Amino acid sequence: MLAAAVAVGAAAPASAAPTPRAVRTHFVAPVLPLTDELALEVVALTNEARVQAGCAPLALADQLVTTALRHSADMAETARMSHVGADGSSPRTRLAGLGVRPRLAAENVAAGAFTPRGLVDAWLASPGHRRNILDCDLDYVGVARADVAGGAYWTQALAGV
């Protein structure tokens, strides 16, 4: 808990695919323009931190935005912040359900009344979240939120091919 009514969950570390050098999946840029300016700001701030650390910026991928949207909605509906979905899914199995099997998958989640800067700063202050954000082997990102009374549930889905 960072402050009253604000929480950042443990980061789901980048997990390697169960088979060596799993099938490399082609990620696609979001088809529709993203209109969630707060989520886009989180991506920009994440990339700013990555560049400062010597990593390449992450590219937005439609499948990662979709999984982030769905997981944020799931957390909001169940009123619980977790890397495990209500259906028992993990970050990797949620991506597999969209036909995506990246070599690496990671996820950061949070719940509370965050500004984009506050959210990214909170993740960067947490060792596990920071490790995910600054993992130079990750290439793609999707960020989404589900608004609730008093804040939002946030998901940052990351993948490396």
Side-chain angles (χ1 to χ4, degrees):
M1 191 76 84
L2 296 175
V6 177
V8 175
S15 63
T19 56
R21 290 291 193 213
V23 176
R24 292 180 187 237
T25 302
H26 176 71
F27 285 96
V28 296
V31 177
L32 300 174
L34 290 176
T35 57
D36 187 340
E37 291 180 19
L38 297 177
L40 290 173
E41 189 174 345
V42 169
V43 172
L45 292 167
T46 296
N47 280 335
E48 181 181 295
R50 287 176 58 84
V51 169
Q52 288 176 359
C55 297
L58 298 165
L60 277 170
D62 185 62
Q63 299 97 324
L64 294 174
V65 172
T66 298
T67 196
L69 280 166
R70 290 178 181 174
H71 189 57
S72 291
D74 177 61
M75 290 190 296
E77 288 170 12
T78 58
R80 69 182 187 86
M81 182 182 63
S82 176
H83 294 290
V84 178
D87 61 357
S89 63
S90 69
R92 184 169 287 287
T93 59
R94 286 190 288 276
L95 286 172
L98 294 172
V100 178
R101 290 178 177 77
R103 184 174 55 86
L104 296 174
E107 179 179 85
N108 291 334
V109 296
F114 286 102
T115 63
R117 170 62 70 191
L119 177 62
V120 174
D121 285 350
W123 279 337
L124 289 171
S126 164
H129 296 97
R130 181 179 187 84
R131 183 175 49 251
N132 286 345
I133 289 171
L134 302 182
D135 184 340
C136 294
D137 290 330
L138 295 170
D139 308 297
Y140 296 95
V141 68
V143 175
R145 65 186 164 85
D147 293 328
V148 295
Y153 285 90
W154 288 88
T155 303
Q156 182 181 57
L158 306 111
V161 296

